[in-house]
Amino acid sequence: MSKMRFLFLFLFVGISCVYSQTPDSTLNLQQCIEIAIQNNLTVKRSELEMERGRVYWQQQRAYLLPTFNGSVNHGLSTGRSLDPFTNTYLNQQITSADYSANANLILFNGMTIQNSIRQTSLAYQAGKMDFEQAKNDITLNVITTYLQAINNSDLLTLANNQLEVSKQQVQRLQVMKDNGAVKPSDYFDVRGQQSTDQLSVINANNAFEASKLNLLMLMNVPFSKNIKLQRIDATQLPLSKFSETADDVYSSALSNLPTVKATALRRQSAEKKVKATKGLMYPTLSLFGGVATRYSSAARRSVLVDSTEINTGSFIKTPTGNQPVYAFNQNYTNERLGYYNQFKNNYTTQVGIGLQIPILNAFQSRNRVALAKIDLSEARYVEENTRIQLKQNVEQAYLNMTSAYDRLQILNEQVDAFKESFRTATIRFNEGALTSVDYIVSKNNLDRANNNLINARYDYYIRTKILAYYRGNLSF
């Protein structure tokens, strides 16, 4: 019985966890930004480019280390072949082996390696800035799209409130019409306004769902109508007047915006590339050394196996008389040398200094320098164009912000005026002193002003966020 309870509890917890992880939840702005950065493919590609730059930088640093290589070659030859031990030709099967290890260290090559390290290091730093820029771009897009969705959500709420006002008037006029206390035309005018408000609700809801779809597309998340967004009260937004000038924003952008830093770093990297390429025209001084040995199955050595004294039949005169001359009959055999003996006896070492002087190589080095200088000029043009484009974008964004702020001030005054006008019109209409047409006109004026005010509030707030993006301190 206890096992059944445990199984039931396990299944219950598992099902609860599954439902808790469904996307049907309320997302705030911070969560949307984090999901978008995590899922955005442009950000991921930028991160890969940054990692590629880091690998190039590490590789250039590794060129300062000596190279060390070993080789082992085993071979089997038949027929007429060269004996690697005696360098003579033999007509037999030979098994041979060569072992070697070599090291090389570049002492000087015109500072090519050092300048290449600086070049790739600067390129890697530029890749970091591109990665930060990609994250900032998607963050700004998410913020503006999220605020647009909240804007449409507020417009939907306002449309529902406007519809509710029309419904209450229709209900009141329905009773009055049935009692003959109001003209039928007034009733049907207000009822037509109710239908207009219903259409406004449908349009506002479609606009909200469309903006939410755009947001989820930025986040690379499947669309679901059940996903909700945490609302931001438009009346609580910081809508104070922007205090900085366009020149202040541009100056901050030059110092803080990652894309500006990236172009400057790439220009510096191109300068180091020119120096590194010029180094190829200088001599290369290197230190080298190595060890080697070999083995051959054809290697032999002569070994004395028998020595016999014999009389040659000749005599030599000595103080004591003539003495016979003796010689030695010696028999030798070729004994095969062992693997270990050959490995030890054939051991050789070498060490030296090499100097390689480039004299004529089809002008490759000169042309590489010329191409590097072209790349440097292009990097300078890109840097300058980035600054010019940034200046234009900042001036346009600042102009849009100023216009949005002025529009917001006028709409605040307009809403206050239309509120009082509609309040008076409602009292007069309820007392029968105002026609339905005048009442509907007054209501539409207030509804339109409220819609415009909500749009203006979010529009101005978004414009300030764009300027904050250019200042390099994007926040929310």
Side-chain angles (χ1 to χ4, degrees), residues 133-402:
Q133 185 66 42
K135 291 193 293 185
N136 286 349
D137 289 343
I138 191 64
T139 299
L140 179 63
N141 290 337
V142 169
I143 289 176
T144 55
T145 308
Y146 186 95
L147 292 175
Q148 186 61 50
I150 299 301
N151 180 22
N152 291 332
S153 175
D154 287 353
L155 292 177
L156 176 60
T157 301
L158 179 61
N160 284 317
N161 294 337
Q162 295 167 354
L163 176 61
E164 185 62 28
V165 172
S166 297
K167 285 183 178 180
Q168 292 175 2
Q169 282 289 1
V170 168
Q171 292 174 359
R172 187 182 69 84
L173 293 177
Q174 175 73 47
V175 176
M176 296 179 66
K177 182 179 74 68
D178 293 342
N179 295 328
V182 68
K183 294 185 294 183
S185 60
D186 291 342
Y187 166 76
F188 288 110
D189 284 341
V190 177
R191 187 171 178 180
Q193 180 62 38
Q194 177 184 352
S195 300
T196 301
D197 292 341
Q198 288 175 336
L199 290 176
S200 297
V201 170
I202 294 175
N203 293 333
N205 183 70
N206 290 337
F208 171 65
E209 293 297 332
S211 59
K212 188 169 69 172
L213 173 62
N214 293 334
L215 177 62
L216 296 178
M217 289 173 63
L218 283 176
M219 297 163 56
N220 201 13
V221 173
F223 176 75
S224 173
K225 288 189 175 182
N226 296 325
I227 295 180
K228 299 180 178 59
L229 303 178
Q230 188 176 35
R231 292 195 57 182
I232 299 176
D233 189 358
T235 60
Q236 301 299 321
L237 294 176
L239 301 177
S240 58
K241 187 174 182 180
F242 196 80
S243 59
E244 297 184 23
T245 65
D247 291 336
D248 294 334
V249 175
Y250 176 67
S251 178
S252 299
L254 290 178
S255 302
N256 301 320
L257 204 62
T259 185
V260 177
K261 295 180 180 179
T263 56
L265 288 168
R266 285 199 168 85
R267 185 257 306 160
Q268 298 172 18
S269 176
E271 292 173 350
K272 297 300 180 182
K273 182 180 179 181
V274 172
K275 294 182 178 180
T277 309
K278 285 182 177 179
L280 298 175
M281 303 174 67
Y282 288 86
T284 299
L285 181 65
S286 60
L287 177 68
F288 64 89
V291 295
T293 187
R294 59 175 41 183
Y295 164 79
S296 173
S297 62
R300 295 289 188 273
R301 68 175 178 178
S302 298
V303 178
L304 180 64
V305 295
D306 185 22
S307 180
T308 305
E309 188 179 32
I310 59 173
N311 190 334
T312 63
S314 300
F315 292 88
I316 184 172
K317 187 175 183 179
T318 65
T320 58
N322 292 333
Q323 297 293 332
V325 177
Y326 295 91
F328 291 91
N329 181 20
Q330 296 178 331
N331 295 323
Y332 290 87
T333 184
N334 289 329
E335 182 181 78
R336 182 177 180 179
L337 284 176
Y339 185 91
Y340 175 76
N341 288 331
Q342 291 192 50
F343 191 89
K344 180 179 64 175
N345 296 334
N346 294 334
Y347 177 78
T348 60
T349 61
Q350 63 172 345
V351 63
I353 294 179
L355 181 64
Q356 183 179 0
I357 303 175
I359 298 176
L360 182 63
N361 58 355
F363 298 102
Q364 294 184 36
S365 298
R366 293 183 181 275
N367 289 329
R368 288 176 182 174
V369 172
L371 291 174
K373 290 181 178 180
I374 293 175
D375 293 339
L376 174 58
S377 298
E378 183 179 6
R380 288 172 176 167
Y381 293 150
V382 171
E383 182 182 14
E384 183 63 23
N385 183 69
T386 300
R387 292 172 178 268
I388 294 174
Q389 189 66 44
L390 176 63
K391 179 70 172 177
Q392 296 173 351
N393 292 340
V394 168
E395 290 175 347
Q396 183 65 53
Y398 194 86
L399 178 61
N400 293 338
M401 181 275 302
T402 304

